[in-house]
Amino acid sequence: QVQLVQSGGEVKKPGASVTVSCKVSGYSLTNHAISWVRQAPGQGLEWMGWISGNYGNTNYAQKFRGRVTMTTDTSTSTTYMDLRGLRSDDTAVYYCAREIVDGTSFFDYWGQGTLVTVSS
Amino acid sequence: SYELTQPPSVSVSPGQTASIPCSAHKLGEKYACWYQQKPGQSPVLVIYRDTRRPSGIPERFSGSNSGDTATLTISGTQAMDEAVYFCQAWDSNTIIFGGGTKLTVL
């Protein structure tokens, strides 16, 4: 069955960088894009961007351009999300999600989430 | 930028029908989908392409989308349906989420 398994929680200081990984199984990473979505405590969902599974093309939400990098390693079926220049308002649960493109885009499978805490 | 608007909360009695709206300019010209999120859990897709249910989602979940409003309808609401529901659309190569609606079953 399809699974997206993310790396464990992180605690970072302001200004630092964090890398969150998302390992997929049950399907080929090259067949679907992966999006990253974050959720601050008690808040809604915020889309950060996507990376294609085959060529590694990316599309970042304007808010995160210049601060986020998404990469993919097809040999290990793993996608990575790097966020730099962390601030306290980057404290959130970060999710990876498999994106389906079918006249629109939506997410049919999600990772379990990774809590990133930014605190001095 | 394109924004999706949801009411913060909706209440429903068990066994009754719950309707959760999601509004935006000409939303009916795009596709909407819906996610259910329970506390401490990842979101779950319950409706996609306006009206379609993924396998494993109960038939009591249905969706519609016309004009400026997409609506998630839960018929015969059960206590287990208590959750936050997010609508989502795609516009100009960007994914947009609504702010979420907390459904209370009481």
Side-chain angles (χ1 to χ4, degrees), chain B residues 43-61:
Chain B
V44 173
L45 180 70
V46 295
I47 293 290
Y48 67 99
R49 291 196 74 173
D50 293 341
T51 61
R52 301 186 183 184
R53 265 181 300 107
S55 62
I57 299 301
E59 290 185 9
R60 63 180 180 274
F61 287 87

Side-chain angles (χ1 to χ4, degrees), chain A residues 37-40 44-46 48 63-64 83 89-90 92-94:
Chain A
V37 176
R38 75 177 188 179
Q39 186 171 37
L45 302 171
E46 182 175 32
M48 300 178 68
K63 174 177 178 178
F64 298 99
L83 188 62
D89 62 358
D90 290 318
V93 174
Y94 289 76

Side-chain angles (χ1 to χ4, degrees), chain A residues 77-109:
Chain A
S77 298
T78 303
T79 293
Y80 300 88
M81 188 279 298
D82 295 330
L83 188 62
R84 303 176 290 280
L86 290 170
R87 307 183 290 254
S88 58
D89 62 358
D90 290 318
T91 294
V93 174
Y94 289 76
Y95 295 100
C96 60
R98 187 176 84 162
E99 186 165 338
I100 301 298
V101 178
D102 180 22
T104 180
S105 285
F106 56 90
F107 309 118
D108 63 346
Y109 288 93

Side-chain angles (χ1 to χ4, degrees), chain B residues 16-80:
Chain B
Q16 299 304 301
T17 296
S19 294
I20 300 174
C22 172
S23 300
H25 181 62
K26 295 186 177 180
L27 180 56
E29 296 181 5
K30 309 178 190 300
Y31 284 116
C33 65
W34 293 88
Y35 302 92
Q36 175 194 70
Q37 188 180 36
K38 296 182 179 179
Q41 298 183 18
S42 302
V44 173
L45 180 70
V46 295
I47 293 290
Y48 67 99
R49 291 196 74 173
D50 293 341
T51 61
R52 301 186 183 184
R53 265 181 300 107
S55 62
I57 299 301
E59 290 185 9
R60 63 180 180 274
F61 287 87
S62 63
S64 63
N65 187 12
S66 179
D68 292 342
T69 304
T71 302
L72 173 69
T73 301
I74 309 172
S75 305
T77 307
Q78 300 182 9
M80 69 171 65

